[in-house]
Amino acid sequence: MELTNAKKKSFMAKAKTMGPAAIVTAAFIGPGTVTTASLAGAGYGYSLLWAMVFSVFATIILQEMSARLGIVTRMGLGEALREQFENPLMKYISIFLVISAIGIGCAAYETGNILGGALGLEAVTGVSMNVWGPIMGIGAFILLFTGSYKLIEKVLVGLVVLMSLVFITTAIVVRPDWGQILSGMFIPSVPKGSVFIVMALIGTTVVPYNLFLHSSAVQERWKDASGLGESRSDILISIILGGLITLSIIITASATFFTAGIGIESAGDMAKQLEPLLGPWAKYFFAFGLFSAGLSSSITAPLAAAYATSGALGWKKDLNDSKFRSVWMIVLIIGIVFSAIGLKPLSAIIFAQAANGVLLPIVAIFLLYVMNNKKRLGEYVNSSKVNILGGIVVLVAIGLGLRSILKVLGIM
């Protein structure tokens, strides 16, 4: 009995370390994830669950490297890339990559994040998402403007816990086929027409800007290498929990729509169509989960853009710094304005996730390069095992990216 209690305490102690990696989870469980996972389950059943298992594995590997970089060197990935190259050309290429791919990419995501969350409120209230979008954006603005990292972290951890309760509970209630689930998780298959969705599932989970966000966020929590153990516990618990959320959405969509041959176009449709199957609470429950996903991501995308851009340009990484604030304000304002004018997010969300999957290998290669700098990391440099695992992630991501490009060009 004492041993059991010790284990329970040990797990609870580890759970209390949730923080920086939970921010990563809050970032990747956005409306894009909910929409992509809904379409994957409704269109292909349980057959694409393996893509999520790979995504969770890849995210843990890459985010552990990112966190270790931040804790040991006290530098974000943007800073590390800027200082890694002595060649001026390579230095400017890395800065351009960070600002264009991460800064502009976050701005593009922000509209989908805000409107995607607003879809949840529209499904419940009937009020247009173009009204709820700006309201959600203003809420994110107020929270970021407080300049309190601890407050932001607590809000995002809370949203992750709420999303877990919503989506995992829904998946259990629909009574899925657990045998088919296990098969889909561990036997990879790519049904005809599913390549784009596979890329989107990976792109919505293994998010390049999270590598920049995480390497900076860990510095707020841990001050030296003694925090590496807690950081790894944070990563394992938070990322696996995020993976379970996405798996639950795929399972729910598969059990309720794929088996019945019912098509859906969005996560908003999924929220509405669950009501006849699961009772009157379902629509509100699922819509609340979608709203939480939108709010969490509408906070983290501007924050990631600010950390990445400030690091790449050598600016101060302080939530109260005027330059830092100017970056997240621009990203957030773009999202608010586009949400107010009624930009349709659904197809854009899927395209952005797939594009993210193509961008991932580039950022991952840069990260692997930086993490093998023994002069900077000393004894905490990548081991051969981590390099092999990271290399596998990069190779799989490159293969899927090439296949997606060839598919778009009509070659495959």
Side-chain angles (χ1 to χ4, degrees), residues 311-371:
L313 295 176
W315 296 347
K316 190 176 179 182
K317 294 184 300 175
D318 184 337
L319 270 72
N320 293 301
D321 181 73
S322 58
K323 289 180 180 178
F324 187 95
R325 274 184 168 169
S326 67
V327 176
W328 70 250
M329 281 182 180
I330 290 170
V331 171
L332 190 51
I333 288 169
I334 288 172
I336 292 171
V337 170
F338 282 0
S339 68
I341 64 177
L343 190 71
K344 297 296 182 184
L346 298 174
S347 57
I349 285 173
I350 298 296
F351 179 79
Q353 307 302 345
N356 225 17
V358 175
L359 175 65
L360 170 64
I362 300 170
V363 178
I365 289 169
F366 268 97
L367 177 62
L368 277 170
Y369 184 67
V370 169
M371 293 306 293

Side-chain angles (χ1 to χ4, degrees), residues 165-176 178 248 251-252 278:
L165 292 172
V166 170
F167 295 123
I168 294 173
T169 300
T170 306
I172 293 170
V173 171
V174 299
R175 297 180 181 177
W178 294 104
S248 296
I251 289 166
T252 301
L278 304 179

Side-chain angles (χ1 to χ4, degrees), residues 6 8 14 35 39 61 67 75 94-95 103 106-108 117-118 147 165 174 235-236 246 278 281 303 324 335 349 370:
K8 285 183 178 178
K14 288 179 180 179
T35 297
L39 297 176
I61 295 297
M75 299 171 69
S94 66
I95 292 172
C106 286
L165 292 172
V174 299
I235 290 166
L236 285 172
T246 309
L278 304 179
W281 64 271
L303 192 60
F324 187 95
I349 285 173
V370 169

Side-chain angles (χ1 to χ4, degrees), residues 16-36:
K16 286 179 182 177
T17 66
M18 280 183 69
I23 293 178
V24 171
T25 298
F28 77 70
I29 302 293
T33 301
V34 181
T35 297
T36 302

Side-chain angles (χ1 to χ4, degrees), residues 358-394:
V358 175
L359 175 65
L360 170 64
I362 300 170
V363 178
I365 289 169
F366 268 97
L367 177 62
L368 277 170
Y369 184 67
V370 169
M371 293 306 293
N372 280 280
N373 186 330
K374 195 163 187 178
K375 184 178 179 181
R376 177 172 290 145
L377 286 154
E379 64 181 296
Y380 300 105
V381 74
N382 268 6
S383 64
S384 298
K385 180 182 175 181
V386 173
N387 278 331
I388 291 170
L389 292 173
I392 291 170
V393 170
V394 169

Side-chain angles (χ1 to χ4, degrees), residues 38-285:
S38 298
L39 297 176
Y44 302 99
Y46 303 117
S47 62
L48 300 184
L49 289 175
W50 66 269
M52 269 312 303
V53 174
F54 168 77
S55 297
V56 169
F57 166 78
T59 302
I60 289 171
I61 295 297
L62 296 177
Q63 296 298 158
E64 189 281 328
M65 284 192 271
S66 171
R68 183 158 31 99
L69 173 71
I71 292 171
V72 173
T73 68
R74 315 307 299 165
M75 299 171 69
L77 181 55
E79 293 168 275
L81 288 175
R82 179 169 53 85
E83 296 192 9
Q84 178 71 26
F85 303 103
E86 295 182 3
N87 185 308
L89 178 62
M90 288 301 296
K91 181 175 289 192
Y92 288 125
I93 287 174
S94 66
I95 292 172
F96 175 77
L97 171 72
V98 171
I99 294 174
S100 60
I102 307 303
I104 297 171
C106 286
Y109 274 117
E110 190 63 5
T111 300
N113 290 334
I114 292 174
L115 281 178
L119 274 174
L121 288 171
E122 182 181 70
V124 173
T125 65
V127 177
S128 172
M129 63 181 182
N130 300 328
V131 174
W132 283 118
I135 292 174
M136 182 177 294
I138 291 167
F141 188 98
I142 292 170
L143 184 60
L144 286 168
F145 197 78
T146 64
S148 171
Y149 171 82
K150 287 186 178 179
L151 176 61
I152 293 169
E153 182 181 273
K154 285 179 180 177
V155 170
L156 293 173
V157 169
L159 288 171
V160 168
V161 172
L162 286 172
M163 285 188 286
S164 303
L165 292 172
V166 170
F167 295 123
I168 294 173
T169 300
T170 306
I172 293 170
V173 171
V174 299
R175 297 180 181 177
D177 184 324
W178 294 104
Q180 288 187 30
I181 288 171
L182 289 173
S183 176
M185 287 176 66
F186 300 109
I187 302 176
S189 65
V190 184
K192 186 176 181 181
S194 68
V195 174
F196 204 56
I197 290 290
V198 169
M199 281 297 299
L201 281 173
I202 294 172
T204 195
T205 308
V206 198
V207 183
Y209 74 64
N210 273 343
L211 299 172
F212 294 85
L213 177 60
H214 200 188
S215 60
S216 295
V218 289
Q219 297 175 46
E220 303 280 354
R221 173 68 78 89
W222 296 290
K223 301 304 179 186
D224 54 47
S226 64
L228 285 174
E230 284 192 356
S231 172
R232 287 173 182 136
S233 295
D234 177 32
I235 290 166
L236 285 172
I237 293 170
S238 300
I239 303 306
I240 290 173
L241 186 58
L244 286 174
I245 292 171
T246 309
L247 285 169
S248 296
I249 299 168
I250 298 173
I251 289 166
T252 301
S254 178
T256 52
F257 303 117
F258 179 74
T259 53
I262 301 172
I264 60 173
E265 294 183 5
S266 72
D269 288 344
M270 188 166 169
K272 295 173 188 174
Q273 292 180 37
L274 279 173
E275 187 169 4
L277 297 159
L278 304 179
W281 64 271
K283 178 177 73 172
Y284 303 101
F285 201 53

